[in-house]
Amino acid sequence: MGRIFVVEREGRSYRCRFCNTQLALADDLASRAFHCRRGKAYLFNYAINISLGALEERMMLSGLHTVADIFCCSCGQIVGWKYEAAHEKSQKYKEGKFVLERGRIIDDIEFSTGFYIDTRSGMSDSEDN
């Protein structure tokens, strides 16, 4: 495997929740009105510091699409998917765009405060015993 180079762009950005690697700029945000199995998701025109998985046909709420899962290049966590092809004419605007799952990213405001709510399940204090 080759060396991993991480790109850092200027401007407000969205980062991997797991390792804080920059994934997309707020200026590239196309829509906040997307949903995935795990909750809310954002549609971006561009994404950085990602690697693509294999292409697959996936039936979604909006119809059949050819997509590739996208992974953070630093930690390897799945962070969303890329629309490669839409099979319905009304969905063609998604082609070439990236969806980042809201539960897997944080924005610079959350990152800079050093505080965000971890929505992953875990043990409560009463379960420590």
Side-chain angles (χ1 to χ4, degrees):
M1 181 173 198
R3 178 181 252 171
I4 297 173
F5 290 97
V6 176
V7 175
E8 190 76 19
R9 292 174 60 196
E10 288 289 322
R12 182 172 164 220
S13 63
Y14 291 88
R15 298 175 174 275
C16 175
R17 178 175 294 279
F18 305 100
C19 69
N20 297 321
T21 298
Q22 193 180 58
L23 298 174
L25 291 181
D27 290 344
D28 294 327
L29 181 63
S31 175
R32 290 187 175 138
F34 277 70
H35 295 278
C36 62
R37 284 182 231 141
R38 294 188 266 282
K40 293 181 179 182
Y42 293 169
L43 182 71
F44 289 89
N45 293 314
Y46 304 101
I48 57 174
N49 301 320
I50 59 163
S51 60
L52 290 172
L55 292 178
E56 63 179 78
E57 301 292 318
R58 197 176 291 169
M59 181 57 77
M60 299 183 160
L61 293 173
S62 57
L64 185 65
H65 298 275
T66 304
V67 300
D69 286 332
I70 56 176
F71 302 87
C72 173
C73 74
S74 293
C75 69
Q77 286 286 330
I78 187 168
V79 291
W81 66 91
K82 180 182 181 184
Y83 285 107
E84 291 292 342
H87 299 281
E88 295 183 25
K89 193 174 185 177
S90 66
Q91 300 299 307
K92 293 287 186 185
Y93 74 96
K94 296 178 182 176
E95 291 182 344
K97 292 188 169 60
F98 302 84
V99 173
L100 296 177
E101 297 179 20
R102 188 65 185 109
R104 296 179 172 271
I105 60 173
I106 57 175
D107 65 27
D108 276 340
I109 294 170
E110 293 172 66
F111 178 67
S112 66
T113 62
F115 175 78
Y116 64 89
I117 297 172
D118 186 355
T119 58
R120 294 174 285 168
S121 62
M123 294 188 336
S124 69
D125 291 340
S126 63
E127 295 174 328
D128 284 343
N129 302 338

